[in-house]
Amino acid sequence: MKIITYNVNGLRSALGKGLLDWVAEAQPDVLCLQEIKAGREPLDVSGFEALGYHAYLHPAQKPGYSGVATFSKLLPKNVVVGCGRECYDTEGRVLRLDFEDFSVLNTYMPSGTSGDERQAFKVEWLHFFRQYVRELQAMLPGLLIGGDFNCCQQDIDLHNPKANQNSPGFTPEERRWFADFLADGYVDAFRHHPGAVPGHYSWWTFRAGARARNVGWRLDHWLVNAGLQPRISSAGHLPDVVHSDHCPVFVELI
Amino acid sequence: MKIITYNVNGLRSALGKGLLDWVAEAQPDVLCLQEIKAGREPLDVSGFEALGYHAYLHPAQKPGYSGVATFSKLLPKNVVVGCGRECYDTEGRVLRLDFEDFSVLNTYMPSGTSGDERQAFKVEWLHFFRQYVRELQAMLPGLLIGGDFNCCQQDIDLHNPKANQNSPGFTPEERRWFADFLADGYVDAFRHHPGAVPGHYSWWTFRAGARARNVGWRLDHWLVNAGLQPRISSAGHLPDVVHSDHCPVFVELI
DNA sequence: CCTCATATG
DNA sequence: CATAAGAGG
């Protein structure tokens, strides 16, 4: 069972760059996309359906902004769109699919790079999300949380930790949040396997050839609740897949 | 003496498509551009200066909108930016260069295609402009008015006159205005020479391959005051020059 | 350095 | 069907 998260930086743009050809080849069982940037018209998901996927969308209210989508080969037994808090749900940030013995929570966490106000909004979200997941976890047999977290925890998670001590995504507050979140009973699938390998990132700025020089950040994650940990057979990045400034990040379950 | 008017639909875009190479080859003595669409930063005119032109700009206040520019090999003895009426001058629509024995008035007339309000604004402009030119004409030895008039007069001036009886640019009101303007003592240089030849247009919509099928309108003109008429040696369009949805329109004076 | 929406043509 | 600004990243 292969489950992939991918911030596509505009689904229409990614489709134009051959996203569906890659999906057909990669054959994920569940595919979680972020930043679909749906417009006023509903997105065309017929290409995914033709590949055998059920499609679930949670666009933002604002056209061209944010939004998540999950595509699944298996029919989920339940789908939950949004988290029930309006200030987040208008931005299309969470979408949950419940299967028989686990759930996949697709999430696009706010970015703080556009200023203090959005960084504050992001930190509020992080605390909300942690509490929200604590409540979910009590109700669900197993939980995989995948998406663009817009933050990371350790020096090894970004190319230049020294220069980014106070950058949004790597502030002490966010790093502590990440550790606390894991302490609630989650493993970071990539650090579980392959482990503490440096130079594995999931996002690179478009500027200055950062991706070619692998000057990146590991912002996209699979956090898997401890009970499911024995079922993780592999996890990794697909940095050669290029439809976006992010790359796909996968986890495989037995 | 070759004088050219050209709606470039964004000067930066046109420069990117090789406008300067064409200027270097065409060697106009005076070049009137419309829809320069200047941004917040001043436009870079060094390429024109390197070709020996004096540069005069009248951008709109709103970034990326409207605006005219005139480039001249001869140093004008006087330059007048705008027409003195604020509602037009904020939109960068007129720029006059006075030479020894004639003046070149570069003008970008409003478009009415975006709705009734702008069509009404355009008609007000047309009446203002006619009166404005009457006053100028009394003060100037000779006058060439060139630019994107966003209107035309006769059935021969557009590919589909029947279907456009009430389209902005060919309303009865605008056609009458054009006839009245000429009656004030101007010749339409293109109708003076080559004359009543059909299928010569200066603008084609970007849609549906209109230019390839020559489904166009003659919206760009040189109107020359009657006293200068004997000096017109030729006039014409350059439809093979493609940096814009318009083509350059020239007049040559002896 | 990208994508997207919007204004304007 | 284009250009360009602007928001957001």
Side-chain angles (χ1 to χ4, degrees), chain A residues 1-253:
Chain A
M1 159 130 313
K2 181 156 60 170
I3 312 180
I4 301 184
T5 180
Y6 192 6
N7 178 320
V8 289
N9 189 29
L11 181 50
R12 283 164 295 168
S13 166
L15 287 169
K17 293 171 183 164
L19 181 71
L20 283 172
D21 292 338
W22 167 73
V23 173
E25 185 201 309
Q27 289 287 333
D29 294 285
V30 182
L31 175 63
C32 298
L33 304 184
Q34 302 87 37
E35 278 205 273
I36 59 174
K37 296 188 177 182
R40 211 170 288 285
E41 312 299 320
L43 281 166
D44 175 18
V45 295
S46 59
F48 292 94
E49 288 168 345
L51 293 176
Y53 290 93
H54 306 281
Y56 305 95
L57 301 177
H58 183 27
Q61 251 170 32
K62 170 148 82 161
Y65 178 69
S66 186
V68 296
T70 304
F71 301 95
S72 176
K73 293 226 174 191
L74 291 83
L75 188 67
K77 66 175 196 183
N78 185 41
V79 173
V80 180
V81 175
C83 62
R85 186 157 304 184
E86 197 190 348
C87 68
Y88 304 131
D89 286 348
T90 55
E91 298 192 358
R93 299 200 170 272
V94 282
L95 176 55
R96 189 178 102 224
L97 269 53
D98 294 333
F99 299 100
E100 207 48 54
D101 53 354
F102 63 84
S103 298
V104 175
L105 184 63
N106 177 3
T107 175
Y108 173 47
M109 307 214 178
S111 166
T113 55
S114 58
D116 293 347
E117 202 168 331
R118 289 301 289 181
Q119 178 66 13
F121 179 85
K122 175 187 190 174
V123 170
E124 282 168 33
W125 154 270
L126 289 172
H127 295 308
F128 163 81
F129 186 77
R130 186 174 168 211
Q131 190 55 41
Y132 176 69
V133 165
R134 281 181 173 184
E135 286 160 26
L136 280 186
Q137 170 176 352
M139 310 159 32
L140 298 169
L143 185 55
L144 294 102
I145 305 167
D148 177 359
F149 283 63
N150 262 317
C151 62
C152 53
Q153 188 197 359
Q154 300 174 311
D155 282 358
I156 198 178
D157 291 328
L158 66 167
H159 178 263
N160 200 341
K162 293 286 169 290
N164 288 294
Q165 297 282 7
N166 288 300
S167 299
F170 199 59
T171 62
E173 190 171 25
E174 291 169 89
R175 299 178 64 178
R176 198 177 323 117
W177 174 86
F178 210 112
D180 291 345
F181 195 97
L182 295 179
D184 285 348
Y186 288 84
V187 293
D188 175 338
F190 187 82
R191 289 297 172 224
H192 175 73
H193 179 100
V197 286
H200 286 249
Y201 308 125
S202 68
W203 173 81
W204 305 261
T205 176
F206 279 120
R207 277 165 273 200
R211 191 160 183 169
R213 295 181 293 124
N214 197 31
V215 177
W217 294 53
R218 197 171 70 93
L219 298 179
D220 302 86
H221 310 287
W222 280 110
L223 305 192
V224 179
N225 80 308
L228 283 176
Q229 176 177 338
R231 290 183 58 188
I232 301 174
S233 60
S234 76
H237 297 171
L238 302 171
D240 298 333
V241 176
V242 184
H243 312 97
S244 166
D245 49 347
H246 293 249
C247 78
V249 173
F250 68 89
V251 60
E252 286 186 291
L253 293 193

Side-chain angles (χ1 to χ4, degrees), chain B residues 29-224:
Chain B
D29 294 286
V30 183
L31 175 64
C32 297
L33 304 183
Q34 302 87 37
E35 279 205 272
I36 59 172
K37 296 187 177 182
R40 211 170 288 285
E41 312 300 321
L43 282 166
D44 175 18
V45 294
S46 59
F48 291 93
E49 289 168 344
L51 293 175
Y53 290 93
H54 306 280
Y56 305 95
L57 301 176
H58 183 27
Q61 250 171 34
K62 172 148 83 158
Y65 178 69
S66 185
V68 295
T70 304
F71 301 95
S72 176
K73 293 226 173 190
L74 290 82
L75 187 67
K77 65 175 197 183
N78 185 40
V79 174
V80 180
V81 175
C83 62
R85 187 160 300 188
E86 197 190 348
C87 68
Y88 303 131
D89 287 347
T90 55
E91 297 192 357
R93 298 200 172 271
V94 282
L95 178 52
R96 189 177 101 223
L97 269 54
D98 295 332
F99 299 99
E100 206 47 54
D101 53 354
F102 62 84
S103 297
V104 175
L105 184 62
N106 176 4
T107 175
Y108 172 48
M109 307 215 178
S111 165
T113 55
S114 60
D116 293 348
E117 203 168 331
R118 288 301 288 180
Q119 179 65 14
F121 180 84
K122 176 186 188 174
V123 170
E124 282 167 33
W125 154 271
L126 290 173
H127 295 307
F128 163 80
F129 186 75
R130 186 174 168 212
Q131 190 55 41
Y132 176 68
V133 166
R134 281 181 175 187
E135 287 162 24
L136 281 187
Q137 172 176 349
M139 309 161 31
L140 299 169
L143 184 56
L144 294 101
I145 305 167
D148 177 359
F149 282 64
N150 263 316
C151 61
C152 53
Q153 188 196 358
Q154 299 175 312
D155 283 358
I156 197 178
D157 290 329
L158 65 168
H159 178 263
N160 199 341
K162 294 285 168 291
N164 288 295
Q165 296 283 5
N166 288 300
S167 299
F170 199 59
T171 61
E173 190 172 24
E174 291 169 89
R175 299 176 64 178
R176 197 176 325 117
W177 175 85
F178 209 112
D180 291 345
F181 195 96
L182 295 180
D184 284 348
Y186 287 85
V187 293
D188 175 340
F190 187 81
R191 288 298 173 225
H192 175 74
H193 178 99
V197 287
H200 286 249
Y201 308 125
S202 67
W203 174 81
W204 305 261
T205 175
F206 279 121
R207 277 167 270 201
R211 191 161 183 168
R213 295 181 292 122
N214 197 30
V215 176
W217 294 52
R218 196 171 71 93
L219 298 178
D220 302 86
H221 310 287
W222 281 110
L223 305 191
V224 179

